[in-house]
């Protein structure tokens, strides 16, 4: 509601995906839309890249697990299928600090109760770990340690975490939702799955776990494509040009 109220009051909107362009037009057709891709956090440009030999095999990294729209429940439904083939699979998510602390955590929100019920019912206590709130370098370290990054959001414009994962070269899987559909070339630099189909998510995870050559192929392409989309020099020039054009229209 707040976003709609804001958009109808402005004359200029900067976005970065087909999803936000369409919604901007439908909310306020008279607003002028400008496309500019994201510049992500500095450390992700300076960091070394993901290497299969350096990652922890069968580890899945997931961000903001306790936020409902991020869809961790879909990953938890996929996990028993992955566990059949890889019993040692481990999901590491930002959220509650400390391994398995959710067993003593004072749960306040219904979504948290739902997640922890899924963990218990599917006997995933040893396969899920929450590691708290991470700073920039800790996020980089968590990405590089992972074998796969999963973005299973139910709604999303562009996922900054997905862009960060791709820039580092972490093999990534995302739900086919929102603006994320502009950010993956399926089978080339990542994989898509339909949001509410955990069985397909599970198979894509297992494909990467099974096939080292595929993981490295996806990683190489992800870095190449992310360096184009999230190019700091180009995106900075585009952003400056947008403001110059807006300024010219005001004079």
């Amino acid at each position: 509601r707040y976003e709609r109220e804001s958009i109808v009051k402005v004359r200029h909107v900067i976005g970065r995906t087909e999803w936000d362009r369409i919604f901007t037009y439908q909310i306020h057709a008279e607003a002028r839309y400008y496309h500019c891709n994201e510049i992500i956090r500095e450390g992700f440009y300076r960091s070394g890249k993901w290497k299969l030999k350096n990652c922890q095999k069968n580890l899945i990294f997931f961000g903001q697990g306790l936020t409902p729209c991020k869809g961790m429940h879909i990953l938890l439904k996929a996990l028993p299928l992955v566990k059949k083939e890889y019993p040692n699979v481990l999901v590491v998510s930002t959220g509650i600090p400390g391994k398995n602390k959710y067993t003593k955590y004072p749960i306040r929100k219904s979504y948290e109760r739902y997640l922890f019920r899924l963990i218990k019912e599917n006997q995933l206590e040893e396969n899920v770990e929450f590691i708290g709130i991470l700073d920039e370098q800790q996020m980089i370290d968590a990405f590089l340690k992972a074998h796969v990054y999963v973005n299973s959001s139910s709604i999303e414009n562009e996922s900054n975490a997905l862009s960060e994962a791709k820039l580092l070269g972490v093999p990534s899987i995302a739900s086919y939702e929102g603006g994320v559909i502009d950010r993956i070339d399926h089978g080339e630099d990542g994989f898509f799955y339909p949001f509410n189909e955990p069985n397909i998510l599970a198979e894509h995870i297992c494909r990467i776990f099974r096939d080292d050559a595929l993981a490295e192929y996806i990683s190489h392409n992800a870095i190449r494509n992310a360096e184009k989309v999230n190019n700091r020099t180009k995106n900075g020039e585009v952003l400056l040009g947008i403001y110059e054009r807006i300024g010219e229209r005001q004079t």
Side-chain angles (χ1 to χ4, degrees):
R1 178 167 64 86
Y2 295 137
E3 291 176 354
R4 286 180 175 271
E5 291 176 356
S6 298
I7 290 172
V8 298
K9 293 177 180 178
V10 301
R11 291 182 292 169
H12 306 274
V13 175
I14 300 174
R16 55 195 185 276
T17 69
E18 184 74 351
W19 188 86
D20 67 31
R21 185 193 65 79
I22 290 171
F23 273 90
T24 296
Y25 178 78
Q26 292 176 343
I27 293 168
H28 186 15
E30 290 73 31
R32 186 171 181 84
Y33 179 88
Y34 305 86
H35 183 276
C36 182
N37 287 325
E38 286 273 272
I39 297 173
I40 61 178
R41 291 181 285 182
E42 174 67 24
F44 288 86
Y45 294 98
R46 292 186 282 101
S47 172
K49 303 302 184 182
W50 180 86
K51 299 292 184 184
L52 181 65
K53 65 181 180 181
N54 296 332
C55 78
Q56 181 176 324
K57 289 294 186 70
N58 308 336
L59 187 154
I60 302 166
F61 183 53
F62 190 94
Q64 297 177 273
L66 302 185
T67 302
C69 68
K70 295 299 180 181
M72 189 175 185
H73 59 286
I74 300 296
L75 177 57
L76 292 180
K77 291 178 180 180
L79 202 56
L81 298 172
V82 178
K83 190 176 177 180
K84 286 182 179 180
E85 189 170 345
Y86 297 94
N88 67 334
V89 63
L90 177 64
V91 172
V92 173
S93 173
T94 56
I96 303 163
K99 182 178 182 180
N100 294 342
K101 289 291 181 66
Y102 51 79
T103 56
K104 299 180 180 179
Y105 179 73
I107 302 169
R108 304 180 184 86
K109 299 178 181 179
S110 59
Y111 187 66
E112 293 172 9
R113 291 196 296 271
Y114 176 47
L115 292 182
F116 302 157
R117 178 166 60 82
L118 288 174
I119 290 170
K120 184 176 181 180
E121 288 177 352
N122 292 293
Q123 300 179 323
L124 299 173
E125 288 88 349
E126 297 303 315
N127 303 98
V128 180
E129 180 178 338
F130 290 93
I131 56 175
I133 299 172
L134 306 184
D135 61 25
E136 181 179 332
Q137 186 57 52
Q138 288 171 327
M139 282 291 291
I140 292 170
D141 294 342
F143 274 121
L144 295 178
K145 185 178 180 182
H147 198 165
V148 174
Y149 169 69
V150 170
N151 182 94
S152 56
S153 296
S154 61
I155 185 171
E156 193 86 68
N157 184 17
E158 177 184 31
S159 167
N160 284 344
L162 177 61
S163 295
E164 291 170 346
K166 290 186 62 181
L167 190 61
L168 293 176
V170 185
S172 299
I173 304 167
S175 52
Y176 192 82
E177 292 290 331
V180 174
I181 67 176
D182 293 347
R183 292 294 176 261
I184 286 181
D185 182 2
H186 181 72
E188 292 296 317
D189 64 356
F191 288 103
F192 278 127
Y193 79 97
F195 166 71
N196 204 28
E197 298 285 356
N199 58 312
I200 298 178
L201 171 60
E203 176 57 22
H204 287 325
I205 291 170
C206 290
R207 284 182 68 187
I208 294 174
F209 286 177
R210 291 184 202 117
D211 192 336
D212 289 351
L214 175 63
E216 292 181 327
Y217 176 79
I218 294 292
S219 174
H220 171 79
N221 292 338
I223 294 168
R224 181 194 63 199
N225 293 342
E227 286 178 344
K228 294 177 182 177
V229 171
N230 301 111
N231 184 283
R232 287 177 292 179
T233 301
K234 179 181 177 181
N235 294 348
E237 292 172 350
V238 170
L239 184 61
L240 179 60
I242 289 170
Y243 279 108
E244 289 174 344
R245 286 153 63 191
I246 292 173
E248 292 170 358
R249 289 177 177 272
Q250 307 308 311
T251 58

